[in-house]
Amino acid sequence: MIRNLILVFLVCIGFKSIAQVRFEEGYFINNKGVRVDCLIKNEGWLNNPEYFDYKLDANSQVKRGTMRGVSSFSVSDEYKFVRNTVDIDRSPTEYDLLDTEKKLNFKEETLFLKLLLVGQASLYSYTDNNHRAFFYEKDSEDIKTLAYKKYKDASGSVGVNKHYRQQLLTNVSCSDIDIQYITNVGYRTDDLIRYFIKYNTCVNSDVELINKKKGKNPLDFNLTIRPGINFNHLSLKRDKGESGSLGFNRDVDFGNKVTFRLGTELEAVLPFKNNKWSVFVEPTYQYFKGEEEIVYLETRPEPRTVTVDYSSIELPIGIRHYFFLKNDSKIFVNAAFSFDFVLKSDIEYEEIEDVILTTDLSFANVPNFVFGAGYKYKKYSLEVRASSNRDFYNTLPSWTSKYGSVSFIFGYRLF
């Protein structure tokens, strides 16, 4: 089973190396103010980038644009980043690390700011992991920070410096916007975009939203039927020295069995990184049946039959990453933590004369990890998946078991 897991990881690495990246139409402005039309690798940036990769045409080599030589760049009318030197506060946001000062600790940095909205008053954002900041530009003046900071007050409670609301009231306001409206504006992308639209409309300024995909649903859901074949292996072992075993051999290896499985997957495609990431849950029915002969005692060499009849509902919950190819096709890798809900776990050792073998051999609900890699084309998919071993007897001190599987799964997407 370990070799199978290693094989899956090698396949994943191979997929990643051959996967084609998406270069989309865009442009950048260099330090001389010259516009260069090109193909830019659309990373679906969750965090603001420090650089970007581009090609002058489809057959050119990949080059890299950096803040040193690029003043702004745009990809497919979906993203636009503008280089600017601004004041930014990077105070921690985790409670244990919160600053005790209400005042913002500004430092000057040169960044690629994400342009969210263009108008007489324009709005920018900067995201770096858990840190987010917003900026505005009015009447082509310098870009200014919208001040916001969490801090810890003398009593240990979390306080919030919301000076950005005063900035909006003083610098980005008009007769149609009252104070009550401003006090309800949160330090969030949607709230601030709505506010800047309202302001620009009030002053009769044209407004352009840069991210044209903003109106889409935040999540896309896929429902897929996923039948397949499992190559399962099960072995049982009991310590012969334990009290109650009477020195009997109870070890049995049922070997590899080919069984069928049937699952239904609900996948939510996440709205960033160009829809390359998703989360999924896949309730699946699977089973294992086997029969083997073993010898209990060397002094009584007649073989006895051991049978197993096990079935369960597995519930993998995991994350998936896609590598897009051409013509509606893509390859993917995924990993999941899988819960197991046992439906049936009948283990029977054939009786031997004058000996009573009494042991409760019901399987426990034991979770494990699964790893997979596959290919999708339109509504169809094929995946190879391997699971880590389960020990169904982890609560019984004298028993151990090992159950693992490799699966080949076919998928058909309903929607």
Side-chain angles (χ1 to χ4, degrees):
M1 184 57 62
I2 296 298
R3 284 182 296 180
N4 292 329
L5 292 176
I6 293 174
L7 177 61
V8 170
F9 280 120
L10 291 176
V11 170
C12 294
I13 294 172
F15 277 173
K16 184 173 182 179
S17 64
I18 65 174
Q20 299 183 34
V21 295
R22 274 190 169 179
F23 282 84
E24 300 179 2
E25 291 184 358
Y27 69 89
F28 65 86
I29 308 296
N30 63 24
N31 287 340
K32 296 180 180 180
V34 177
R35 170 173 168 149
V36 179
D37 292 311
C38 59
L39 299 174
I40 295 178
K41 184 180 178 182
N42 190 339
E43 298 279 4
W45 295 272
L46 183 60
N47 293 331
N48 288 44
E50 296 181 356
Y51 58 84
F52 62 94
D53 293 329
Y54 70 94
K55 299 192 293 186
L56 294 178
D57 57 56
N59 299 318
S60 298
Q61 291 185 343
V62 177
K63 298 182 178 181
R64 177 157 291 182
T66 66
M67 281 186 280
R68 178 175 295 180
V70 174
S71 63
S72 67
F73 69 94
S74 177
V75 186
S76 299
D77 295 326
E78 183 184 355
Y79 296 97
K80 183 172 183 180
F81 292 94
V82 178
R83 182 189 68 195
N84 206 273
T85 300
V86 293
D87 291 328
I88 186 169
D89 176 273
R90 291 187 179 272
S91 299
T93 57
E94 298 85 355
Y95 176 79
D96 292 339
L97 302 176
L98 286 179
D99 194 350
T100 57
E101 294 289 333
K102 181 177 181 179
K103 183 180 178 180
L104 279 77
N105 303 313
F106 283 126
K107 291 185 178 179
E108 190 175 83
E109 296 185 31
T110 300
L111 306 168
F112 273 138
L113 301 181
K114 182 179 180 181
L115 183 57
L116 301 177
L117 177 148
V118 179
Q120 181 173 318
S122 300
L123 179 66
Y124 301 81
S125 71
Y126 177 81
T127 303
D128 181 12
N129 295 324
N130 294 326
H131 181 79
R132 169 162 288 192
F134 293 95
F135 306 82
Y136 74 97
E137 178 186 21
K138 183 182 175 186
D139 299 325
S140 300
E141 297 177 352
D142 291 342
I143 296 177
K144 297 182 177 61
T145 307
L146 287 170
Y148 175 91
K149 177 185 176 181
K150 288 185 178 181
Y151 63 95
K152 190 182 299 184
D153 63 22
S155 65
S157 299
V158 177
V160 182
N161 182 338
K162 300 179 181 178
H163 182 65
Y164 72 94
R165 291 176 176 170
Q166 182 62 48
Q167 292 174 280
L168 295 178
L169 177 63
T170 304
N171 303 318
V172 193
S173 185
C174 69
S175 58
D176 290 347
I177 301 177
D178 57 31
I179 295 178
Q180 185 61 41
Y181 184 87
I182 294 176
T183 58
N184 291 325
V185 176
Y187 202 73
R188 297 182 293 270
T189 301
D190 290 344
D191 281 18
L192 288 169
I193 284 178
R194 280 194 294 267
Y195 183 86
F196 275 75
I197 290 175
K198 188 176 181 68
Y199 170 78
N200 283 292
T201 301
C202 177
V203 297
N204 297 316
S205 171
D206 293 334
V207 180
E208 179 187 1
L209 283 173
I210 299 302
N211 189 345
K212 294 184 178 181
K213 296 184 179 181
K214 193 68 182 178
K216 293 183 64 177
N217 292 330
L219 293 176
D220 287 332
F221 290 95
N222 298 322
L223 182 65
T224 305
I225 302 298
R226 286 166 58 87
I229 298 174
N230 288 341
F231 294 87
N232 299 327
H233 179 271
L234 174 64
S235 62
L236 310 175
K237 186 176 182 179
R238 179 160 187 179
D239 189 343
K240 299 179 182 62
E242 288 290 333
S243 174
S245 68
L246 301 177
F248 278 78
N249 172 42
R250 307 291 291 279
D251 300 351
V252 57
D253 190 335
F254 292 99
N256 294 304
K257 306 293 181 183
V258 179
T259 62
F260 294 97
R261 49 99 73 192
L262 180 62
T264 302
E265 179 190 87
L266 180 64
E267 178 187 32
V269 181
L270 302 177
F272 55 80
K273 288 288 183 181
N274 265 348
N275 298 335
K276 292 180 180 179
W277 290 93
S278 70
V279 293
F280 65 90
V281 58
E282 184 187 356
T284 303
Y285 172 78
Q286 63 93 37
Y287 67 93
F288 183 93
K289 292 184 179 181
E291 180 178 296
E292 292 292 328
E293 291 186 339
I294 63 172
V295 174
Y296 292 164
L297 285 170
E298 293 182 1
T299 57
R300 304 178 68 169
E302 62 273 20
R304 300 291 173 175
T305 302
V306 185
T307 60
V308 59
D309 187 357
Y310 157 67
S311 61
S312 73
I313 298 294
E314 295 180 325
L315 188 67
I317 301 175
I319 188 166
R320 176 172 294 142
H321 182 65
Y322 288 102
F323 303 95
F324 292 103
L325 305 174
K326 294 181 179 180
N327 302 322
D328 296 320
S329 63
K330 50 194 171 183
I331 55 180
F332 63 88
V333 294
N334 49 232
F337 186 75
S338 181
F339 299 92
D340 189 53
F341 302 95
V342 175
L343 301 176
K344 188 177 184 180
S345 60
D346 295 338
I347 307 290
E348 293 186 5
Y349 283 80
E350 184 181 352
E351 294 182 357
I352 187 171
E353 296 176 359
D354 305 324
V355 176
I356 299 176
L357 301 175
T358 58
T359 304
D360 182 6
L361 295 180
S362 296
F363 287 171
N365 298 323
V366 179
N368 69 336
F369 292 96
V370 296
F371 308 91
Y375 173 78
K376 283 190 177 184
Y377 176 71
K378 294 184 177 179
K379 291 180 175 290
Y380 302 94
S381 64
L382 183 65
E383 179 183 345
V384 180
R385 178 180 290 181
S387 69
S388 61
N389 289 320
R390 289 192 178 108
D391 181 4
F392 294 117
Y393 296 144
N394 59 5
T395 59
L396 299 177
S398 58
W399 282 89
T400 57
S401 67
K402 186 179 289 186
Y403 181 79
S405 66
V406 174
S407 305
F408 291 86
I409 307 167
F410 171 79
Y412 179 77
R413 181 169 53 85
L414 300 178
F415 63 81

